[in-house]
Amino acid sequence: MSAPARSSYLAAGLLIGALQAFAAPAGYSAAGLYNLANSYARAGKPGMAVLNYERARLLSPNDPDVEANLRFVRSSAHLPAETRSTFDRVAGAASPVLLAWIGIAGLIIVGAGVLAGRSSARHRRLRHAGILLGVCMVGLTVCNGIALWPKLHAGVVIVAATPVRVSPVPMGEALFTLAEGDTVKLAAEHEGFTLIRTRSGRSGWVSKANVAPIVP
């Protein structure tokens, strides 16, 4: 198979993979999630409001309305303010879907450059420049993925005064309780319970129905 043909198959495979990876339910958009969060906030349900604002922020990281409303709901529910590192703010400043397509385009550029084979000195310099550009595009996507990685294991408490227990059983005294709207790390699951870890380092088991993952 010739180099151009191999490059075409590589590009087609990456595009098909992207379409499968980013296929989302109808109506699942930043605007739709933002409006849903507003409805929950007005209904006095801070947990569901925070959850949907967080999901909207993943799709639209630079939306000031989402940020402002999320801060307001957290403050109104007496939840601690969120702290984000400089790396998280910079690396996660663009839509992950857009950056994923940028990464795919970078892979296509790198693949085409590698498969181009021998060429004249001038074309070789262009090929090397194209490969470098493609690597940078892939690197940008990787940095965004690193910034978003904690969100893949994060959840929001959606039930008020959620008890945290020492073991995954619905009995016994609770170790402590979680406020509705608080954000926790999801560590494991067992028979209807989820092992969580708070931002202060405390951990325990909560009913799976009381916490929802930010990334559905």
Side-chain angles (χ1 to χ4, degrees), residues 114-164:
V114 171
L115 296 174
R118 296 180 179 179
S119 57
S120 64
R122 179 184 177 185
H123 289 166
R124 189 160 52 247
R125 286 194 295 269
L126 291 174
R127 183 165 63 91
H128 290 168
I131 292 175
L132 179 60
L133 174 62
V135 170
C136 291
M137 294 167 70
V138 173
L140 183 63
T141 301
V142 170
C143 288
N144 181 257
I146 293 172
L148 292 177
W149 180 255
K151 292 294 184 183
L152 297 177
H153 305 278
V156 176
V157 179
I158 57 175
V159 176
T162 290
V164 181

Short mmCIF file of all heavy atoms in Angstrom, two decimals, residues 114-164:
data_model
loop_
_atom_site.label_atom_id
_atom_site.label_comp_id
_atom_site.label_asym_id
_atom_site.label_seq_id
_atom_site.Cartn_x
_atom_site.Cartn_y
_atom_site.Cartn_z
N VAL A 114 5.41 11.30 8.86
CA VAL A 114 6.22 10.09 9.00
C VAL A 114 6.09 9.19 7.77
O VAL A 114 7.06 8.59 7.30
CB VAL A 114 5.81 9.32 10.27
CG1 VAL A 114 6.47 7.94 10.31
CG2 VAL A 114 6.17 10.12 11.51
N LEU A 115 4.88 9.11 7.22
CA LEU A 115 4.63 8.23 6.07
C LEU A 115 5.05 8.85 4.74
O LEU A 115 5.05 8.17 3.72
CB LEU A 115 3.15 7.87 6.01
CG LEU A 115 2.60 7.04 7.19
CD1 LEU A 115 1.10 6.88 7.07
CD2 LEU A 115 3.29 5.68 7.24
N ALA A 116 5.41 10.14 4.78
CA ALA A 116 5.77 10.81 3.52
C ALA A 116 7.04 10.25 2.90
O ALA A 116 7.23 10.31 1.68
CB ALA A 116 5.93 12.31 3.77
N GLY A 117 7.91 9.68 3.71
CA GLY A 117 9.12 9.06 3.16
C GLY A 117 10.17 10.07 2.74
O GLY A 117 10.22 11.20 3.21
N ARG A 118 10.98 9.67 1.81
CA ARG A 118 12.08 10.51 1.35
C ARG A 118 11.55 11.68 0.53
O ARG A 118 10.56 11.57 -0.17
CB ARG A 118 13.06 9.69 0.53
CG ARG A 118 13.76 8.59 1.32
CD ARG A 118 14.71 7.82 0.44
NE ARG A 118 15.39 6.77 1.18
CZ ARG A 118 16.26 5.94 0.63
NH1 ARG A 118 16.55 6.04 -0.66
NH2 ARG A 118 16.85 5.01 1.38
N SER A 119 12.27 12.79 0.61
CA SER A 119 11.89 13.97 -0.15
C SER A 119 13.11 14.85 -0.31
O SER A 119 14.18 14.57 0.24
CB SER A 119 10.76 14.73 0.55
OG SER A 119 11.14 15.09 1.86
N SER A 120 12.97 15.91 -1.06
CA SER A 120 14.06 16.84 -1.24
C SER A 120 14.36 17.55 0.08
O SER A 120 13.59 17.48 1.02
CB SER A 120 13.69 17.87 -2.32
OG SER A 120 12.60 18.65 -1.88
N ALA A 121 15.50 18.27 0.11
CA ALA A 121 15.90 18.95 1.34
C ALA A 121 14.86 19.97 1.77
O ALA A 121 14.51 20.08 2.95
CB ALA A 121 17.25 19.63 1.13
N ARG A 122 14.31 20.71 0.79
CA ARG A 122 13.29 21.72 1.13
C ARG A 122 12.04 21.06 1.68
O ARG A 122 11.50 21.49 2.70
CB ARG A 122 12.96 22.54 -0.11
CG ARG A 122 11.89 23.60 0.15
CD ARG A 122 11.53 24.33 -1.12
NE ARG A 122 10.46 25.29 -0.90
CZ ARG A 122 9.88 26.00 -1.86
NH1 ARG A 122 10.29 25.85 -3.13
NH2 ARG A 122 8.90 26.84 -1.58
N HIS A 123 11.58 20.02 1.01
CA HIS A 123 10.38 19.34 1.47
C HIS A 123 10.63 18.63 2.80
O HIS A 123 9.71 18.50 3.61
CB HIS A 123 9.92 18.33 0.42
CG HIS A 123 9.35 18.98 -0.80
ND1 HIS A 123 9.14 18.29 -1.97
CD2 HIS A 123 8.95 20.26 -1.04
CE1 HIS A 123 8.63 19.11 -2.89
NE2 HIS A 123 8.51 20.31 -2.34
N ARG A 124 11.89 18.19 3.01
CA ARG A 124 12.21 17.53 4.27
C ARG A 124 12.08 18.51 5.44
O ARG A 124 11.59 18.16 6.50
CB ARG A 124 13.62 16.95 4.21
CG ARG A 124 13.95 16.06 5.41
CD ARG A 124 15.11 15.11 5.12
NE ARG A 124 16.26 15.82 4.59
CZ ARG A 124 16.72 15.68 3.34
NH1 ARG A 124 16.07 14.88 2.49
NH2 ARG A 124 17.78 16.33 2.94
N ARG A 125 12.52 19.76 5.22
CA ARG A 125 12.38 20.78 6.28
C ARG A 125 10.91 21.05 6.58
O ARG A 125 10.50 21.19 7.74
CB ARG A 125 13.10 22.06 5.88
CG ARG A 125 14.62 21.97 5.95
CD ARG A 125 15.24 23.35 5.86
NE ARG A 125 14.98 23.98 4.56
CZ ARG A 125 15.78 23.87 3.51
NH1 ARG A 125 16.88 23.12 3.60
NH2 ARG A 125 15.48 24.46 2.37
N LEU A 126 10.09 21.13 5.53
CA LEU A 126 8.65 21.34 5.73
C LEU A 126 8.02 20.16 6.46
O LEU A 126 7.14 20.34 7.33
CB LEU A 126 7.97 21.56 4.38
CG LEU A 126 8.30 22.86 3.65
CD1 LEU A 126 7.65 22.87 2.27
CD2 LEU A 126 7.83 24.07 4.46
N ARG A 127 8.47 18.96 6.09
CA ARG A 127 7.93 17.77 6.75
C ARG A 127 8.28 17.76 8.23
O ARG A 127 7.43 17.48 9.08
CB ARG A 127 8.48 16.51 6.06
CG ARG A 127 7.92 15.21 6.63
CD ARG A 127 8.21 14.05 5.69
NE ARG A 127 9.64 13.84 5.54
CZ ARG A 127 10.35 13.00 6.32
NH1 ARG A 127 9.74 12.33 7.28
NH2 ARG A 127 11.63 12.82 6.12
N HIS A 128 9.52 18.11 8.55
CA HIS A 128 9.95 18.15 9.95
C HIS A 128 9.19 19.23 10.71
O HIS A 128 8.80 19.02 11.87
CB HIS A 128 11.45 18.41 10.03
CG HIS A 128 12.28 17.26 9.57
ND1 HIS A 128 13.62 17.33 9.33
CD2 HIS A 128 11.92 15.96 9.30
CE1 HIS A 128 14.08 16.16 8.93
NE2 HIS A 128 13.06 15.31 8.91
N ALA A 129 8.96 20.38 10.07
CA ALA A 129 8.19 21.44 10.72
C ALA A 129 6.75 20.99 10.97
O ALA A 129 6.16 21.29 12.02
CB ALA A 129 8.22 22.71 9.86
N GLY A 130 6.17 20.27 9.99
CA GLY A 130 4.82 19.77 10.16
C GLY A 130 4.73 18.75 11.29
O GLY A 130 3.79 18.78 12.09
N ILE A 131 5.73 17.86 11.38
CA ILE A 131 5.74 16.88 12.46
C ILE A 131 5.85 17.57 13.81
O ILE A 131 5.16 17.21 14.78
CB ILE A 131 6.91 15.88 12.26
CG1 ILE A 131 6.64 15.00 11.04
CG2 ILE A 131 7.11 15.02 13.50
CD1 ILE A 131 7.79 14.08 10.69
N LEU A 132 6.69 18.60 13.90
CA LEU A 132 6.84 19.35 15.15
C LEU A 132 5.52 20.03 15.54
O LEU A 132 5.12 20.00 16.71
CB LEU A 132 7.95 20.39 15.01
CG LEU A 132 8.20 21.28 16.24
CD1 LEU A 132 8.59 20.43 17.44
CD2 LEU A 132 9.28 22.32 15.94
N LEU A 133 4.85 20.61 14.54
CA LEU A 133 3.55 21.23 14.81
C LEU A 133 2.55 20.20 15.30
O LEU A 133 1.81 20.44 16.27
CB LEU A 133 3.02 21.90 13.53
CG LEU A 133 1.60 22.48 13.62
CD1 LEU A 133 1.53 23.58 14.66
CD2 LEU A 133 1.16 22.99 12.25
N GLY A 134 2.54 19.04 14.66
CA GLY A 134 1.62 17.99 15.07
C GLY A 134 1.89 17.52 16.49
O GLY A 134 0.96 17.30 17.28
N VAL A 135 3.17 17.37 16.84
CA VAL A 135 3.54 16.96 18.20
C VAL A 135 3.07 17.99 19.22
O VAL A 135 2.57 17.65 20.29
CB VAL A 135 5.05 16.73 18.30
CG1 VAL A 135 5.49 16.56 19.75
CG2 VAL A 135 5.46 15.52 17.48
N CYS A 136 3.23 19.27 18.89
CA CYS A 136 2.77 20.33 19.79
C CYS A 136 1.26 20.29 19.98
O CYS A 136 0.75 20.49 21.08
CB CYS A 136 3.19 21.70 19.25
SG CYS A 136 4.97 22.01 19.31
N MET A 137 0.52 20.02 18.89
CA MET A 137 -0.93 19.93 18.98
C MET A 137 -1.35 18.76 19.86
O MET A 137 -2.26 18.88 20.69
CB MET A 137 -1.54 19.79 17.57
CG MET A 137 -1.35 21.03 16.71
SD MET A 137 -1.71 20.74 14.95
CE MET A 137 -3.50 20.52 15.01
N VAL A 138 -0.67 17.62 19.70
CA VAL A 138 -0.97 16.47 20.55
C VAL A 138 -0.61 16.78 22.00
O VAL A 138 -1.36 16.43 22.93
CB VAL A 138 -0.20 15.23 20.06
CG1 VAL A 138 -0.37 14.07 21.04
CG2 VAL A 138 -0.69 14.81 18.67
N GLY A 139 0.52 17.47 22.22
CA GLY A 139 0.93 17.83 23.57
C GLY A 139 -0.08 18.73 24.26
O GLY A 139 -0.34 18.60 25.46
N LEU A 140 -0.68 19.66 23.49
CA LEU A 140 -1.70 20.54 24.04
C LEU A 140 -2.91 19.73 24.52
O LEU A 140 -3.46 19.99 25.60
CB LEU A 140 -2.13 21.55 22.98
CG LEU A 140 -3.17 22.61 23.39
CD1 LEU A 140 -2.61 23.50 24.49
CD2 LEU A 140 -3.57 23.45 22.19
N THR A 141 -3.29 18.74 23.72
CA THR A 141 -4.41 17.89 24.11
C THR A 141 -4.08 17.06 25.34
O THR A 141 -4.91 16.89 26.23
CB THR A 141 -4.78 16.96 22.94
OG1 THR A 141 -5.12 17.75 21.80
CG2 THR A 141 -5.97 16.08 23.30
N VAL A 142 -2.85 16.57 25.41
CA VAL A 142 -2.43 15.77 26.57
C VAL A 142 -2.46 16.61 27.84
O VAL A 142 -2.92 16.16 28.89
CB VAL A 142 -1.03 15.19 26.33
CG1 VAL A 142 -0.47 14.57 27.61
CG2 VAL A 142 -1.07 14.14 25.22
N CYS A 143 -1.98 17.85 27.76
CA CYS A 143 -2.00 18.74 28.93
C CYS A 143 -3.44 18.98 29.40
O CYS A 143 -3.71 19.00 30.61
CB CYS A 143 -1.32 20.07 28.60
SG CYS A 143 0.47 19.95 28.43
N ASN A 144 -4.34 19.17 28.45
CA ASN A 144 -5.74 19.35 28.81
C ASN A 144 -6.29 18.10 29.47
O ASN A 144 -7.06 18.18 30.44
CB ASN A 144 -6.55 19.70 27.57
CG ASN A 144 -8.02 19.91 27.87
OD1 ASN A 144 -8.84 19.05 27.60
ND2 ASN A 144 -8.37 21.07 28.41
N GLY A 145 -5.91 16.94 28.95
CA GLY A 145 -6.36 15.69 29.55
C GLY A 145 -5.85 15.52 30.98
O GLY A 145 -6.58 15.05 31.86
N ILE A 146 -4.60 15.93 31.23
CA ILE A 146 -4.05 15.85 32.58
C ILE A 146 -4.83 16.76 33.53
O ILE A 146 -5.14 16.39 34.67
CB ILE A 146 -2.55 16.24 32.57
CG1 ILE A 146 -1.74 15.18 31.81
CG2 ILE A 146 -2.02 16.39 33.99
CD1 ILE A 146 -0.29 15.57 31.59
N ALA A 147 -5.17 17.97 33.04
CA ALA A 147 -5.93 18.91 33.86
C ALA A 147 -7.33 18.38 34.16
O ALA A 147 -7.88 18.62 35.25
CB ALA A 147 -6.00 20.27 33.18
N LEU A 148 -7.93 17.66 33.22
CA LEU A 148 -9.29 17.17 33.38
C LEU A 148 -9.35 15.83 34.10
O LEU A 148 -10.43 15.40 34.52
CB LEU A 148 -9.97 17.03 32.02
CG LEU A 148 -10.28 18.33 31.28
CD1 LEU A 148 -10.89 18.02 29.93
CD2 LEU A 148 -11.23 19.21 32.09
N TRP A 149 -8.22 15.15 34.24
CA TRP A 149 -8.21 13.81 34.82
C TRP A 149 -8.91 13.72 36.17
O TRP A 149 -9.70 12.80 36.42
CB TRP A 149 -6.78 13.29 34.92
CG TRP A 149 -6.68 11.92 35.51
CD1 TRP A 149 -6.28 11.58 36.78
CD2 TRP A 149 -7.01 10.68 34.87
NE1 TRP A 149 -6.32 10.23 36.96
CE2 TRP A 149 -6.76 9.64 35.81
CE3 TRP A 149 -7.48 10.35 33.60
CZ2 TRP A 149 -6.98 8.31 35.50
CZ3 TRP A 149 -7.70 9.01 33.30
CH2 TRP A 149 -7.45 8.01 34.24
N PRO A 150 -8.66 14.66 37.11
CA PRO A 150 -9.36 14.57 38.41
C PRO A 150 -10.88 14.61 38.28
O PRO A 150 -11.58 14.01 39.10
CB PRO A 150 -8.84 15.79 39.19
CG PRO A 150 -7.52 16.09 38.56
CD PRO A 150 -7.69 15.77 37.11
N LYS A 151 -11.39 15.33 37.26
CA LYS A 151 -12.85 15.41 37.09
C LYS A 151 -13.45 14.06 36.74
O LYS A 151 -14.63 13.81 37.00
CB LYS A 151 -13.19 16.42 35.99
CG LYS A 151 -12.88 17.87 36.35
CD LYS A 151 -13.75 18.38 37.48
CE LYS A 151 -13.51 19.85 37.75
NZ LYS A 151 -14.32 20.34 38.90
N LEU A 152 -12.66 13.18 36.12
CA LEU A 152 -13.16 11.86 35.76
C LEU A 152 -13.45 11.02 37.00
O LEU A 152 -14.17 10.02 36.92
CB LEU A 152 -12.16 11.14 34.86
CG LEU A 152 -11.88 11.79 33.50
CD1 LEU A 152 -10.82 10.99 32.76
CD2 LEU A 152 -13.15 11.87 32.67
N HIS A 153 -12.87 11.40 38.13
CA HIS A 153 -13.04 10.65 39.37
C HIS A 153 -13.68 11.52 40.45
O HIS A 153 -13.50 11.25 41.65
CB HIS A 153 -11.69 10.11 39.85
CG HIS A 153 -10.98 9.29 38.82
ND1 HIS A 153 -11.25 7.95 38.60
CD2 HIS A 153 -10.01 9.61 37.92
CE1 HIS A 153 -10.48 7.49 37.63
NE2 HIS A 153 -9.73 8.48 37.20
N ALA A 154 -14.39 12.55 40.04
CA ALA A 154 -15.02 13.46 41.00
C ALA A 154 -16.53 13.33 40.94
O ALA A 154 -17.10 12.99 39.91
CB ALA A 154 -14.60 14.90 40.70
N GLY A 155 -17.16 13.58 42.08
CA GLY A 155 -18.61 13.54 42.15
C GLY A 155 -19.14 14.64 43.03
O GLY A 155 -18.38 15.28 43.76
N VAL A 156 -20.44 14.86 42.97
CA VAL A 156 -21.10 15.90 43.76
C VAL A 156 -22.17 15.24 44.63
O VAL A 156 -22.94 14.40 44.15
CB VAL A 156 -21.74 16.96 42.85
CG1 VAL A 156 -22.52 17.98 43.68
CG2 VAL A 156 -20.68 17.66 42.02
N VAL A 157 -22.19 15.62 45.89
CA VAL A 157 -23.21 15.12 46.82
C VAL A 157 -24.54 15.77 46.46
O VAL A 157 -24.64 17.00 46.42
CB VAL A 157 -22.82 15.43 48.28
CG1 VAL A 157 -23.90 14.93 49.24
CG2 VAL A 157 -21.47 14.81 48.62
N ILE A 158 -25.55 14.97 46.20
CA ILE A 158 -26.83 15.52 45.74
C ILE A 158 -27.95 15.35 46.76
O ILE A 158 -29.10 15.70 46.48
CB ILE A 158 -27.25 14.87 44.40
CG1 ILE A 158 -27.34 13.36 44.52
CG2 ILE A 158 -26.27 15.26 43.29
CD1 ILE A 158 -27.86 12.67 43.26
N VAL A 159 -27.64 14.82 47.94
CA VAL A 159 -28.62 14.64 49.01
C VAL A 159 -28.11 15.33 50.27
O VAL A 159 -26.94 15.17 50.64
CB VAL A 159 -28.90 13.15 49.28
CG1 VAL A 159 -29.85 12.98 50.46
CG2 VAL A 159 -29.47 12.49 48.03
N ALA A 160 -28.97 16.09 50.94
CA ALA A 160 -28.57 16.82 52.14
C ALA A 160 -28.18 15.87 53.27
O ALA A 160 -28.78 14.80 53.43
CB ALA A 160 -29.71 17.74 52.58
N ALA A 161 -27.16 16.29 54.04
CA ALA A 161 -26.71 15.54 55.22
C ALA A 161 -26.48 14.06 54.89
O ALA A 161 -27.01 13.16 55.54
CB ALA A 161 -27.71 15.68 56.36
N THR A 162 -25.69 13.82 53.87
CA THR A 162 -25.38 12.44 53.46
C THR A 162 -24.44 11.79 54.46
O THR A 162 -23.34 12.28 54.70
CB THR A 162 -24.74 12.43 52.06
OG1 THR A 162 -25.73 12.79 51.09
CG2 THR A 162 -24.20 11.05 51.72
N PRO A 163 -24.85 10.67 55.07
CA PRO A 163 -23.97 10.01 56.06
C PRO A 163 -22.84 9.24 55.38
O PRO A 163 -23.03 8.60 54.35
CB PRO A 163 -24.93 9.06 56.79
CG PRO A 163 -26.00 8.76 55.79
CD PRO A 163 -26.16 10.00 54.96
N VAL A 164 -21.66 9.33 55.97
CA VAL A 164 -20.49 8.61 55.49
C VAL A 164 -20.17 7.52 56.51
O VAL A 164 -19.96 7.81 57.69
CB VAL A 164 -19.29 9.55 55.31
CG1 VAL A 164 -18.09 8.77 54.77
CG2 VAL A 164 -19.64 10.69 54.37
#
